[in-house]
Amino acid sequence: MDRAIALKFPAFYVPHPHKILWLLHQFRQAYDLWGTEFQGLPDTDGGRAIREVIVQGDNSYLPEARKIYTNSRVTSDRLKKFNGLESEVLYPPLLSHGQYSSGAPGDYIFCPGRINATKRQRLLVESMEFCRTPVQLLVAGKAETAEDAEGILALARRSGMEKRIRFVNRFITESEKVEWFSRSLGCAYIPYDEDSYGYVTLESYLSKKPVITCTDSGGIDTLVKHGVTGHLVAPEPRALAAAMDELYIDKQKARRMGEAGYDLVQSLRINWDNVMEKLTR
């Protein structure tokens, strides 16, 4: 094999004379998540030692690559800030674009994906209490812990929103996801400081549905342009509720924003032909 392409830690430590990196993210707990509520590593002598070993390893092995691509400007900025390395953004496409379709907008906001603290589904559930319209919320995906699942259910009960919040706590099939996107009013995807625009965002735009995200959700603002392809709002319940209400009140505008998102994805050449052209040249 004349070249090796590595995506994630620690695969990019493997030696190869013609190594090319397409960096999705580093070990974030040692970098941008250190000092936050999502740090993971303990702030102890042992935890700090692990962090130091990871940073030293990255500084030793990342420069071996002939070329470093990243999945977003956020990942590139982190790489420059923490390791002093330059890189080029290469947007990752979905495995397949063809199955997504756009149906008539329903009355629910769709929120698919892994259920955990960094994805912040609880914040969306909390926001429903402040909605002024009958908009509904569909949260679908496998909770990583029992506490993650119970947190969502408890918030729904506490706010009295159980009838307007549907929580599907399991891995969902591709066909289910495609159908729920197609019939949705729009998508809400509000993780904390995401590495890139996230596949959920891309799936929503390929379904011609607008996306609601937050100002601290990282690289998602590559695709979510406020008032154009969706809503970019503060990470607080009332702001999210207002964005969901707006999609419900003006469904024609919601459709136009979804179509604008679809057009933006096409203009950025987020496809495998572009990826292979870059990685193999």
Side-chain angles (χ1 to χ4, degrees):
M1 185 175 181
D2 65 348
R3 70 189 66 207
I5 299 171
L7 299 176
K8 297 175 76 172
F9 172 90
F12 48 66
Y13 286 2
V14 176
H16 194 279
H18 301 294
K19 183 162 61 177
I20 295 174
L21 302 186
W22 190 17
L23 192 63
L24 303 186
H25 59 76
Q26 296 168 265
F27 193 86
R28 295 184 60 191
Q29 291 85 346
Y31 290 102
D32 58 292
L33 294 182
W34 183 266
T36 75
E37 62 182 301
F38 309 114
Q39 178 175 311
L41 290 174
D43 192 5
T44 61
D45 289 344
R48 288 188 290 273
I50 292 171
R51 183 189 186 206
E52 184 177 347
V53 167
I54 291 169
V55 173
Q56 287 179 350
D58 285 2
N59 287 335
S60 295
Y61 297 112
L62 286 172
E64 292 179 349
R66 294 173 56 195
K67 177 73 176 182
I68 301 178
Y69 295 98
T70 69
N71 59 347
S72 75
R73 61 164 180 78
V74 172
T75 306
S76 284
D77 289 347
R78 290 178 192 152
L79 189 62
K80 178 65 175 178
K81 176 182 178 180
F82 293 111
N83 308 96
L85 296 174
E86 301 290 344
S87 57
E88 179 182 337
V89 175
L90 178 59
Y91 296 123
L94 299 176
L95 289 177
S96 174
H97 290 187
Q99 70 268 40
Y100 294 94
S101 62
S102 177
D107 291 336
Y108 65 89
I109 304 296
F110 185 33
C111 177
R114 290 181 293 116
I115 311 295
N116 62 32
T118 61
K119 299 298 184 182
R120 299 194 298 195
Q121 290 92 351
R122 290 191 195 185
L123 180 55
L124 275 175
V125 171
E126 185 181 355
S127 303
M128 288 293 291
E129 183 179 358
F130 301 98
C131 289
R132 298 178 181 273
T133 68
V135 66
Q136 299 181 41
L137 178 65
L138 170 57
V139 178
K142 178 65 175 175
E144 292 191 353
T145 68
E147 291 76 16
D148 289 324
E150 180 52 37
I152 289 177
L153 295 172
L155 275 174
R157 288 193 298 266
R158 193 179 310 145
S159 63
M161 292 286 108
E162 295 119 308
K163 292 184 179 180
R164 289 173 50 195
I165 298 170
R166 181 183 177 191
F167 179 28
V168 181
N169 180 19
R170 59 173 171 79
F171 291 107
I172 62 174
T173 66
E174 285 298 309
S175 60
E176 285 177 319
K177 182 169 60 175
V178 168
E179 180 185 357
W180 285 336
F181 265 123
S182 177
R183 296 190 290 111
S184 72
L185 181 56
C187 170
Y189 188 53
I190 61 167
Y192 173 76
D193 199 18
E194 185 84 337
D195 304 295
S196 69
Y197 46 71
Y199 285 139
V200 170
T201 308
L202 196 53
E203 289 166 337
S204 188
Y205 287 142
L206 290 174
S207 305
K208 298 185 178 179
K209 303 296 180 178
V211 176
I212 298 170
T213 194
C214 291
T215 51
D216 65 349
S217 287
I220 298 174
D221 63 5
T222 299
L223 297 181
V224 180
K225 308 302 179 183
H226 185 64
V228 179
T229 65
H231 291 291
L232 186 66
V233 301
E236 62 92 17
R238 284 177 173 81
L240 287 162
M244 290 190 279
D245 280 339
E246 187 168 333
L247 295 187
Y248 185 92
I249 290 168
D250 194 342
K251 294 184 180 181
Q252 288 303 313
K253 182 178 180 181
R255 180 184 289 275
R256 290 195 299 271
M257 288 195 293
E259 290 172 348
Y262 178 88
D263 292 341
L264 178 58
V265 169
Q266 305 311 310
S267 71
L268 292 174
R269 293 190 67 203
I270 303 176
N271 57 64
W272 284 108
D273 287 343
N274 185 47
V275 167
M276 296 309 298
E277 177 185 326
K278 291 288 184 69
L279 294 182
T280 60
R281 69 185 179 185

